[in-house]
Amino acid sequence: MTNAEWGAVDQYLVDTLIGDGDSDVAQANSDAGLPPIDVSPPQGKFLSLIALSAGARRVLEIGTLGGYSTLWLARAVGPQGRVITLEFDRHHAEVARANLDRKGVGERVEIRVGAALDSLPAVAHDHAEPFDLVFIDADKSNNAKYVEWALRLTRPGSVIVVDNVVRGGALVDGDADDPGVRGGREVLRLLADEPRVDATVLQTVGSKGWDGFAYAVVVE
């Protein structure tokens, strides 16, 4: 199958199951010049269902972009929940803030601007309660470092999701120079060796092509 066929299936899923009520977010991101690298609508809904299944009320997101995945997570945590999302680019954060406010979930979301590895110590200091879910979708070369932080900030039963680890199948190339591939391989080695988590990877196809995410549960 081709990317066009995968995309057609995604569109069918949107039309029949998910709805396109958030197409304005994608349009706002495009109008603002953001790269089209958000999760797809089926992936966003899946993230929301993961959060709902985990009963998540405190979510940490690393990598906001225009706030599309943030929107799904903010809906899942409910009016009493909280999403802390970290974004390196101030312009992206401003677009995300406008999107989230317009969609009526802005009060549930705190956006922190700056390099995530610089922001995470302050998050740890300011939020004593552990996070129920951590979604990592930022610069791939730092994936392992982000997971290490996620382990500090979660509890047994918490869920950690790392996006874009399959990289169109390039994940199997141990000699790859691409930092995204190397970051994916590094984070999977960490998850395999880390006794505090149990993890797998689910490959995905769709409008975003061939990729996949790591799904880990903190077990101790």
Side-chain angles (χ1 to χ4, degrees):
M1 294 183 71
T2 66
N3 282 12
E5 290 172 300
W6 295 336
V9 173
D10 263 5
Q11 188 58 55
Y12 175 79
L13 298 176
V14 170
D15 293 341
T16 60
L17 188 62
I18 299 167
D20 63 353
D22 296 322
S23 58
D24 59 315
V25 175
Q27 187 61 54
N29 292 350
S30 177
D31 291 345
L34 274 60
I37 56 175
D38 318 80
V39 299
S40 69
Q43 291 168 343
K45 181 63 176 288
F46 192 62
L47 278 175
S48 176
L49 292 175
I50 290 173
L52 285 171
S53 298
R57 290 294 176 265
R58 295 174 298 278
V59 172
L60 173 64
E61 179 183 52
I62 301 176
T64 315
L65 194 62
Y68 184 70
S69 55
T70 321
L71 172 62
W72 283 104
L73 293 168
R75 286 174 174 155
V77 301
Q80 306 306 315
R82 187 75 165 169
V83 178
I84 311 298
T85 184
L86 311 181
E87 173 54 46
F88 177 77
D89 188 291
R90 183 169 298 278
H91 174 57
H92 294 179
E94 291 170 350
V95 174
R97 172 51 64 196
N99 283 331
L100 295 165
D101 288 347
R102 187 177 70 257
K103 303 301 282 190
V105 297
E107 292 184 356
R108 307 177 192 180
V109 180
E110 177 186 348
I111 304 174
R112 297 197 178 196
V113 180
L117 291 175
D118 294 336
S119 300
L120 283 163
V123 171
H125 178 270
D126 296 342
H127 297 274
E129 288 188 281
F131 289 95
D132 305 309
L133 185 150
V134 178
F135 177 52
I136 299 169
D137 189 12
D139 54 310
K140 310 309 174 186
S141 60
N142 281 316
N143 272 344
K145 294 178 181 177
Y146 295 146
V147 168
E148 289 171 350
W149 268 104
L151 288 169
R152 300 181 200 179
L153 297 170
T154 50
R155 53 165 177 78
S158 294
V159 174
I160 301 170
V161 178
V162 186
D163 203 10
N164 306 126
V165 298
V166 174
R167 315 299 294 177
L171 177 68
V172 301
D173 183 1
D175 298 321
D177 292 328
D178 185 296
V181 175
R182 296 172 69 88
R185 290 175 65 90
E186 183 180 3
V187 77
L188 294 188
R189 285 193 297 269
L190 170 63
L191 291 172
D193 294 339
E194 175 53 67
R196 289 173 290 174
V197 300
D198 200 2
T200 189
V201 169
L202 184 66
Q203 296 190 76
T204 59
V205 297
S207 58
K208 300 300 182 180
W210 175 21
D211 214 323
F213 59 86
Y215 181 98
V217 176
V218 181
V219 294
E220 63 179 66

